[in-house]
Amino acid sequence: MALNAASHNPTGAKTGPISGPPPPTSSETTAALLGSQKDDPLGQHAGGKDGGDQDEGKKIKSEKELEKERKKAEKAKKFAEKQAKTVTGVSTIPTTSKTKEKKAKSDGVKDEPLPKYVEETPSGEKKILKPLDDEYHKAYIPEVVESGWYDWWEKEGFFKPEFDPDGKVKKEGHFSMSWPPPNVTGALHMGHALTNAIQDTLIRWNRMQGKTTLWVPGCDHAGIATQAVVENMLWRREKQTRHDIGRKALVDLIWQWKGDYHKKINSSLRRMGGSFDWSREAFTMDENLSAAVTETFVQLHEEGIIYRANRLVNWDSKLTTSLSNLEVVNKELEGRTLLDVPGYERKVEFGVITYFQYEIEGSDEKIEIATTRPETMLGDTAIVVNPKDSRYMHLHGKNAKHPFLDRLMPIITDDYADPEFGSGAVKITPAHDFNDFAIGQKHKLEFINILNDDGTLNHNCGSFAGMKRFDARYKVIEALKEKGLYVKWDHNKMTVPLSERSKDIIEPLLKPQWWMRMKGLADVAMKAVKDGKIKIRPEFAEKSFFKWLEGINDWCLSRQLWWGHQAPAYFIELEGEPGDDSDGERWVTGRTEAAAEEKAKAKYPGKKFKLTRDPDVLDTWFSSGQWPYSTLGWPRQSDDLKNFYPTSVMETGWDILFFWVARMIMMGLKMTGQVPFKEVYCHSLIRDSEGRKMSKSLGNVIDPIDLMEGIGLEALHTKLKAGNMDPKEVAKATQFQNTAFPDGIPECGADAMRFGLVNYSTGGSDINFDVKVMHGYRRFCNKIYQATKFVLGNLDSSFMPEATATKTGHESLAEKWILHKLTIACKEINQNLTDRDFSAATNVAYQYWYTALCDTYIENSKSLINDGDTQTQVSAKNTLYTALEAGLTMIHPFMPFLTEELWQRLPRRPHDKCPSIVKAAYPTYNPSLDDPAAEEAYELVLAVSKGIRSLMSEYAIKDNGTLHIQLFTPTAHETCKNQLSSIRSLSGKAVSQISILNPEDSRPRGCVPFAVSASATVFLLAKGRVDIDQEIEKARKKMERAGEMVKKQEGILHDENYNKKVGEEFKEVERRKLRDALKEVEEMQRAVEEFERLKIE
């Protein structure tokens, strides 16, 4: 005897009723998914495809065709979002339907909101399921459904890898991933939510396939980002700098701050349903990961791959550290622009090119040059002209005089100077310009640094020393005017590099740093991808990977910070022999200081020395580049490393493909001899609904928690003020929130958010994220919830499902159809997930649930259960159970909370001891359920029913509808004759009479037609119930549209190129469209004639 499906209370215990029909289809949900992708006629899906065949024997698509499909998918997605905006209003949840509002008004009673839900289940215990007639369970409320499950999943160890009894990986194989560690700098954003949704979909899907799975969570210490946030906080709250409190105190403060925010990040990940193995959580500054960093640095230094050199870096004067290219934002300027710069009260001028002259030594002649950074002329050490430029041939080998410093600058020749650009003469500042640096090295010029670390001018600048660099800019121009050397200024289109963290202007600055040789490592990484050891998806990402690595430069590892992995490098101070810290020979590395000391002794035998550890820390990417293997225990040869390395997939945003993914590949191959993962999937970047990058200063960053749980406008404002933002940015962000979220953000729930985010993932360009679209998927969740309530309401306590999900031989046509739809959906969704076509996978699940199960089979099952004999009822219930059970397991990877809540209420099949849907088997294709003939027959039934409903609606027939169905093929005739009761059930209560006509029967008098297809036409008796002149006009317009379709199809089928390229299977699809269009023209022509005859009568 099955347990009561409503509550899983002990047998015999009293429970509440569980019945209740599903609500009507939500127009908002329909609109939100209006633009969902349809399967392409050639059998491929648009999003995320890599160009391979989906089925054997089908046409291989070109890159151009694939790109076209991607764009088509994105266009459809944007259309869906636009439609959703027009019909879906943002409101607080739970919402009240218009029907309820009207009823409340008529009764004079207002619906009182429910008190805040309190979960009664003790943390970690299996959730106590309340009856579905409980106030909190009558309708779908995300907070109610999603509470209570995660702690139980975690406590039961469902997310930990499961091995065979012998301790080895299960025979089904293994699947492992590393979560891209978020910066431990605060709350997660929608980009993290997208990563979580896609990765958790993959890990849950593979776990349900019976594999040994592992998903490792963790956080990145994010050196510069974290230190910048804490330093800003320290200044705002205490008016102190890091130098005021010292290195140890700052690091201690950061560890304390990290602890608080780390908990918030992990809490958000749990709330989103991420099925991580938390027992293996990692942090880039954990003991083992720090050991991996030290081991790698020392080993690569010993091999000469890491070296010491004095070279140009991206320098942030406010944070006083070098930056990676990723931490630099390039701001495009069209001309003169005033920008805010940290440390300056007034805005600074950029987008201007200044022309001035240098005097030539020993003559009255002058040479004109131009610069966008006038202050850097204080560091000029040469002027370069093109050797073929006749204007300057007489100056070759001469010197120009610096007007403010006792310095002569040689005039040298190089093809670098373009005679057509400006004056053709170029000032060279080797210590402050990346291009000039190369010229300086080539011609052995003097490198003169003019900047202190804080952005002030140093002792090399004469009377300008001590000035802030941009104050000096204006002073230099004034001094040039005084000497008569200033020429003019002009607007100049240019790019200004800004620090992403401090918003300071980046300065190229000469600094002794640790560098890593990358060319050899890049060659090995590219070979691994070319050889197929790593698959990079989508296709454009792989091309970017090669493009970046082919032009790779050496990597600056040093960061002048206090938070991070301090370089395990020691400078040797020899007694009586001063040394330069840019000299690599004076440095040793060691896994410990004692080991470094032994190296120093061997290097300088018999000499006295002192070791001083480099105060700099290493670039964060150096540690995160080792994430896949260090999180599994390397450099120890751990069991996890043996079982799960290489990992299966690295899924992340395409924007860090080079900065992180490429480095993981290079370092993984170098340090372990193996690729770090076998596949890379790059998802799109999330932008706001207007296509802008999400930024805290714009106010368009959305916290996933706020989207899942809902938040009011005032609460959004409060969060802004509580952050670490500049007051000006807070004001700007507040203004955006007022416009974008006037009513706040509605409660969407984790499941709706996850499903919506995965559906966004077409493998194409960036995502224009819209809260309204997410809210539309909440309605889809409600559809699933109400459908399950209906099924449970029709399975009484004596119901016991069959042992397996197979046919019994008693299935009706409708049952055969839904089982066919189920097995085809299983086949397609498994293939889509294999191909990483995530958007298509969600569309398959959506169409199965929404269209096939809810809107069609459940509606048809009502007549089978209510009017059928005992055998029919039992069969219909078993099919309902199978369709629902498989539907829940199918969509579980996308919607873990809702599916667990509903699956736990289902009675179990005999011998099914599975404790959770998390561990249930994922549904697969079952050939015995594949029934194309049943599909074709029932599709005809559905099409005929739809035709009847369309006619009844179009002609506003509310009751006593009389209809005739004329069939033109024996198969169609037999199908509709046998399925007449189903057609009645699906056609609506307003239909009173339906008759079947043979092909040879005359057209019924006084009727309007609906051409279902070439094999069927529906007729509605309209005489005396419609405006004949109006209907004649309607019929003529329909006939005109059908005629246009005929021309279009004939054009396609007569196209020689089309006939050469396309197979017979696809031609038949177009022929069928032509036949249907011809049939509609014929029927509309006859309708016009019939109406004309009625007018005469």
Side-chain angles (χ1 to χ4, degrees):
M1 178 178 176
L3 293 177
N4 188 301
S7 64
H8 267 214
N9 286 351
T11 304
K14 187 177 179 180
T15 64
I18 58 177
S19 61
T25 305
S26 161
S27 61
E28 290 89 342
T29 306
T30 304
L33 271 296
L34 194 62
S36 293
Q37 293 178 144
K38 302 295 183 183
D39 288 345
D40 185 87
L42 297 184
Q44 301 254 356
H45 298 288
K49 287 298 295 178
D50 62 1
D53 287 343
Q54 183 171 344
D55 294 300
E56 188 179 352
K58 291 190 178 179
K59 178 177 177 283
I60 298 176
K61 296 191 175 184
S62 68
E63 182 185 329
K64 229 180 231 185
E65 288 172 312
L66 287 169
E67 182 61 27
K68 185 177 179 182
E69 287 189 6
R70 274 195 291 270
K71 288 179 179 176
K72 183 179 177 183
E74 289 154 22
K75 186 176 180 182
K77 191 74 61 188
K78 287 175 183 175
F79 177 72
E81 292 160 13
K82 184 177 179 182
Q83 290 295 107
K85 286 181 189 178
T86 62
V87 298
T88 308
V90 179
S91 60
T92 55
I93 302 301
T95 56
T96 305
S97 69
K98 290 181 180 178
T99 305
K100 286 184 178 179
E101 285 175 359
K102 288 178 181 177
K103 187 176 186 302
K105 286 177 183 177
S106 65
D107 294 344
V109 179
K110 290 184 178 179
D111 285 342
E112 291 295 328
L114 290 170
K116 183 171 177 59
Y117 178 74
V118 177
E119 180 56 58
E120 296 178 10
T121 308
S123 178
E125 297 300 313
K126 187 172 182 179
K127 185 173 181 177
I128 300 169
L129 294 177
K130 298 293 186 69
L132 292 175
D133 64 340
D134 174 83
E135 283 299 310
Y136 291 96
H137 293 79
K138 288 180 179 178
Y140 169 71
I141 303 174
E143 178 188 15
V144 176
V145 168
E146 294 171 3
S147 68
W149 289 115
Y150 196 94
D151 290 345
W152 176 63
W153 288 335
E154 190 176 342
K155 183 181 177 182
E156 291 297 314
F158 293 151
F159 303 155
K160 292 183 177 181
E162 192 175 286
F163 298 90
D164 277 340
D166 60 1
K168 294 182 179 178
V169 168
K170 294 164 73 175
K171 67 179 185 302
E172 289 84 358
H174 87 272
F175 184 87
S176 58
M177 289 190 302
S178 302
W179 162 252
N183 292 348
V184 61
T185 51
L188 301 181
H189 52 64
M190 294 313 301
H192 296 117
L194 174 61
T195 299
N196 178 82
I198 293 175
Q199 288 202 2
D200 199 38
T201 293
L202 286 174
I203 204 77
R204 287 179 182 271
W205 175 55
N206 279 278
R207 186 184 292 122
M208 295 174 79
Q209 290 176 320
K211 296 178 183 178
T212 300
T213 57
L214 174 63
W215 190 18
V216 179
C219 280
D220 193 302
H221 68 279
I224 188 167
T226 302
Q227 184 167 320
V229 169
V230 175
E231 282 196 69
N232 284 336
M233 180 184 68
L234 182 65
W235 178 254
R236 289 185 189 280
R237 295 180 183 177
E238 309 292 340
K239 296 302 178 186
Q240 289 184 308
T241 69
R242 59 171 159 160
H243 302 288
D244 293 328
I245 65 173
R247 184 166 188 157
K248 184 180 184 304
L250 181 75
V251 170
D252 289 344
L253 183 63
I254 295 175
W255 272 110
Q256 179 185 342
W257 184 89
K258 172 261 176 192
D260 294 338
Y261 280 87
H262 195 172
K263 289 176 185 176
K264 292 179 183 178
I265 288 171
N266 288 355
S267 176
S268 293
L269 291 174
R270 286 180 166 94
R271 180 64 185 84
M272 289 188 282
S275 55
F276 299 99
D277 181 357
W278 291 103
S279 68
R280 288 171 165 85
E281 184 187 4
F283 179 57
T284 46
M285 287 182 67
D286 284 346
E287 183 179 351
N288 190 78
L289 277 73
S290 296
V293 168
T294 298
E295 177 62 34
T296 300
F297 190 94
V298 172
Q299 185 176 323
L300 296 183
H301 179 259
E302 290 173 344
E303 294 181 25
I305 294 174
I306 290 179
Y307 63 96
R308 187 79 172 174
N310 195 23
R311 298 173 62 176
L312 285 182
V313 297
N314 296 314
W315 188 257
D316 184 321
S317 300
K318 184 176 187 299
L319 299 176
T320 60
T321 183
S322 56
L323 302 179
S324 71
N325 289 335
L326 182 64
E327 293 155 332
V328 176
V329 177
N330 291 313
K331 185 176 183 64
E332 301 288 339
L333 303 181
E334 292 298 320
R336 184 177 182 272
T337 307
L338 297 177
L339 299 178
D340 285 313
V341 179
Y344 293 82
E345 292 183 3
R346 295 197 303 177
K347 293 187 176 185
V348 180
E349 180 183 73
F350 294 90
V352 167
I353 188 165
T354 301
Y355 294 82
F356 69 93
Q357 297 171 324
Y358 277 126
E359 295 177 336
I360 303 300
E361 182 189 28
S363 75
D364 295 331
E365 194 172 354
K366 297 174 184 176
I367 187 168
E368 183 177 305
I369 56 93
T371 180
T372 58
R373 300 157 66 208
E375 69 280 5
T376 62
M377 61 89 67
L378 298 169
D380 287 355
T381 59
I383 296 171
V384 63
V385 297
N386 193 288
K388 297 177 182 176
D389 192 334
S390 59
R391 293 172 295 176
Y392 303 116
M393 285 184 176
H394 66 290
L395 297 179
H396 293 181
K398 293 189 177 182
N399 295 318
K401 295 188 299 182
H402 200 287
F404 311 127
L405 301 165
D406 184 16
R407 185 188 307 160
L408 293 178
M409 298 171 290
I411 297 174
I412 60 176
T413 61
D414 197 288
D415 290 335
Y416 171 70
D418 182 359
E420 303 299 320
F421 183 77
S423 67
V426 182
K427 63 188 280 297
I428 302 298
T429 319
H432 294 284
D433 184 278
F434 288 101
N435 292 322
D436 293 2
F437 180 84
I439 294 293
Q441 285 187 318
K442 179 179 178 182
H443 294 275
K444 295 182 173 53
L445 300 175
E446 186 179 5
F447 286 70
I448 299 176
N449 175 31
I450 65 169
L451 289 176
N452 295 312
D453 288 354
D454 63 357
T456 57
L457 301 192
N458 64 21
H459 64 281
N460 291 322
C461 299
S463 62
F464 299 94
M467 292 184 186
K468 292 194 287 187
R469 56 191 159 144
F470 297 125
D471 289 343
R473 172 173 295 185
Y474 297 109
K475 292 294 184 182
V476 165
I477 292 174
E478 287 176 12
L480 287 170
K481 289 179 178 178
E482 289 173 4
K483 288 185 174 286
L485 299 175
Y486 177 82
V487 179
K488 64 176 181 177
W489 72 270
D490 203 353
H491 291 282
N492 183 60
K493 185 176 181 179
M494 63 181 294
T495 299
V496 176
L498 301 174
S499 167
E500 185 179 36
R501 301 296 171 187
S502 70
K503 310 305 178 189
D504 196 12
I505 307 296
I506 294 299
E507 293 289 345
L509 192 63
L510 206 57
K511 282 282 182 182
Q513 309 272 272
W514 291 107
W515 296 81
M516 187 167 168
R517 303 183 200 281
M518 303 303 294
K519 184 67 172 65
L521 300 179
D523 289 342
V524 175
M526 287 190 287
K527 185 176 187 302
V529 176
K530 288 175 182 175
D531 291 347
K533 293 179 181 177
I534 301 175
K535 173 67 180 175
I536 299 179
R537 306 170 190 255
E539 188 179 338
F540 77 84
E542 183 178 290
K543 291 179 178 178
S544 298
F545 174 82
F546 286 121
K547 181 180 179 182
W548 283 329
L549 288 193
E550 284 164 359
I552 197 169
N553 295 313
D554 285 0
W555 177 10
C556 176
L557 300 178
S558 301
R559 294 292 180 271
Q560 289 64 47
L561 302 170
W562 292 352
W563 171 249
H565 295 101
Q566 191 172 351
Y570 302 81
F571 182 70
I572 306 170
E573 297 181 51
L574 292 173
E575 190 175 282
E577 298 181 35
D580 183 353
D581 74 346
S582 64
D583 180 6
E585 290 301 311
R586 280 294 186 97
W587 290 86
V588 289
T589 58
R591 293 166 182 83
T592 62
E593 186 170 353
E597 188 171 352
E598 290 302 313
K599 284 185 179 180
K601 287 178 181 178
K603 195 166 196 176
Y604 296 101
K607 293 190 176 184
K608 291 184 179 181
F609 60 84
K610 175 186 173 184
L611 291 185
T612 302
R613 187 168 183 178
D614 188 349
D616 290 352
V617 300
L618 301 175
D619 184 3
T620 298
W621 297 108
F622 188 77
S623 55
S624 58
Q626 302 177 65
W627 186 251
Y629 54 86
S630 63
T631 53
L632 296 176
W634 190 93
R636 295 179 294 107
Q637 292 303 307
S638 65
D639 289 337
D640 279 356
L641 197 65
K642 294 173 185 174
N643 289 326
F644 298 110
Y645 190 82
T647 58
S648 305
V649 179
M650 173 48 65
E651 191 281 335
T652 189
W654 62 259
D655 58 323
I656 54 174
L657 177 64
F658 174 67
F659 297 102
W660 186 43
V661 176
R663 283 171 175 157
M664 284 190 287
I665 295 173
M666 289 185 282
M667 296 181 80
L669 284 164
K670 176 61 183 174
M671 303 313 296
T672 72
Q674 299 181 74
V675 294
F677 27 74
K678 298 171 184 176
E679 179 187 344
V680 176
Y681 179 83
C682 298
H683 65 240
S684 304
L685 302 187
I686 292 187
R687 298 183 178 275
D688 69 12
S689 58
E690 298 175 16
R692 299 179 304 172
K693 183 178 179 181
M694 287 193 170
S695 163
K696 288 181 181 178
S697 61
L698 290 176
N700 58 1
V701 172
I702 298 174
D703 185 334
I705 296 293
D706 293 341
L707 184 68
M708 290 186 286
E709 300 182 355
I711 187 171
L713 180 61
E714 285 305 314
L716 282 172
H717 292 344
T718 301
K719 287 182 72 172
L720 279 178
K721 294 170 186 174
N724 206 24
M725 291 167 59
D726 183 276
K728 291 181 182 177
E729 292 181 337
V730 170
K732 184 178 180 182
T734 300
Q735 186 177 1
F736 173 83
Q737 289 181 344
N738 289 335
T739 303
F741 313 118
D743 300 315
I745 297 174
E747 179 192 12
C748 296
D751 289 318
M753 180 186 75
R754 288 167 57 112
F755 191 86
L757 287 169
V758 177
N759 183 259
Y760 265 134
S761 303
T762 63
S765 60
D766 293 348
I767 294 166
N768 287 2
F769 182 84
D770 197 326
V771 169
K772 297 182 183 68
V773 175
M774 298 296 108
H775 195 225
Y777 284 111
R778 174 190 158 133
R779 290 171 170 80
F780 176 45
C781 291
N782 183 59
K783 189 83 168 177
I784 295 171
Y785 187 81
Q786 298 296 347
T788 305
K789 282 182 67 175
F790 169 81
V791 175
L792 291 172
N794 282 280
L795 303 180
D796 55 42
S797 59
S798 65
F799 175 78
M800 175 68 73
E802 296 291 330
T804 58
T806 54
K807 289 181 179 178
T808 63
H810 303 299
E811 287 79 13
S812 63
L813 179 61
E815 291 172 74
K816 292 176 183 177
W817 177 83
I818 190 61
L819 293 174
H820 170 81
K821 287 293 184 184
L822 169 62
T823 197
I824 294 302
C826 292
K827 180 180 182 180
E828 290 180 351
I829 202 167
N830 278 290
Q831 187 61 53
N832 293 150
L833 290 174
T834 298
D835 295 339
R836 312 301 184 230
D837 196 347
F838 296 106
S839 183
T842 54
N843 285 334
V844 169
Y846 181 90
Q847 293 300 331
Y848 171 75
W849 267 99
Y850 209 102
T851 306
L853 183 55
C854 295
D855 284 359
T856 305
Y857 179 67
I858 282 180
E859 288 302 311
N860 195 273
S861 70
K862 293 175 183 177
S863 63
L864 297 175
I865 292 172
N866 296 331
D867 304 329
D869 56 28
T870 301
Q871 187 180 77
T872 300
Q873 290 179 6
V874 170
S875 181
K877 289 178 181 180
N878 268 303
T879 300
L880 264 179
Y881 179 90
T882 295
L884 180 69
E885 178 197 43
L888 290 173
T889 50
M890 178 196 299
I891 208 167
H892 171 74
F894 311 107
M895 296 181 171
F897 295 105
L898 175 62
T899 51
E900 183 74 280
E901 176 87 9
L902 299 177
W903 185 88
Q904 290 288 353
R905 297 176 183 273
L906 293 179
R908 300 267 69 80
R909 295 185 187 276
H911 312 299
D912 181 2
K913 305 298 182 186
C914 184
S916 166
I917 195 171
V918 172
K919 308 290 278 187
Y922 198 76
T924 57
Y925 172 71
N926 183 346
S928 68
L929 303 182
D930 192 345
D931 193 341
E935 179 188 33
E936 183 178 358
Y938 198 63
E939 297 288 355
L940 176 62
V941 170
L942 295 175
V944 167
S945 303
K946 180 181 178 182
I948 292 173
R949 293 195 304 273
S950 295
L951 285 174
M952 297 287 287
S953 173
E954 184 176 353
Y955 295 101
I957 306 298
K958 304 296 184 182
D959 53 28
N960 297 321
T962 299
L963 293 112
H964 309 278
I965 308 169
Q966 189 164 28
L967 293 315
F968 302 102
T969 67
T971 302
H973 189 276
E974 189 68 18
T975 296
C976 290
K977 180 181 176 183
N978 294 336
Q979 296 298 317
L980 194 54
S981 62
S982 292
I983 293 172
R984 287 182 187 278
S985 174
L986 294 169
S987 296
K989 295 179 181 179
V991 175
S992 62
Q993 184 178 344
I994 302 178
S995 64
I996 302 292
L997 302 179
N998 296 314
E1000 64 274 9
D1001 289 341
S1002 59
R1003 180 190 180 93
R1005 293 288 183 92
C1007 292
V1008 290
F1010 182 97
V1012 175
S1013 67
S1015 60
T1017 298
V1018 174
F1019 296 95
L1020 169 66
L1021 181 62
K1023 184 177 180 180
R1025 306 185 74 169
V1026 298
D1027 183 324
I1028 292 178
D1029 289 329
Q1030 191 178 56
E1031 297 313 319
I1032 289 174
E1033 182 62 24
K1034 279 186 186 177
R1036 283 176 175 160
K1037 286 182 179 179
K1038 288 182 180 179
M1039 183 168 62
E1040 184 179 336
R1041 287 196 296 269
E1044 291 172 357
M1045 176 61 76
V1046 168
K1047 290 179 182 177
K1048 177 185 175 183
Q1049 293 305 119
E1050 286 177 340
I1052 291 173
L1053 291 168
H1054 293 153
D1055 187 307
E1056 290 185 12
N1057 290 330
Y1058 174 83
N1059 283 294
K1060 288 178 183 177
K1061 293 179 180 178
V1062 176
E1064 192 60 32
E1065 178 184 353
F1066 307 117
K1067 291 178 187 175
E1068 181 54 35
V1069 172
E1070 301 304 326
R1071 292 191 195 107
R1072 185 169 65 248
K1073 290 180 183 178
L1074 176 59
R1075 290 194 296 270
D1076 291 347
L1078 287 168
K1079 184 65 177 176
E1080 186 169 6
V1081 170
E1082 179 188 344
E1083 292 298 346
M1084 290 305 109
Q1085 176 62 46
R1086 294 175 67 180
V1088 170
E1089 294 171 358
E1090 177 66 16
F1091 281 126
E1092 293 287 1
R1093 188 184 62 76
L1094 287 175
K1095 282 180 68 176
I1096 297 172
E1097 293 179 355

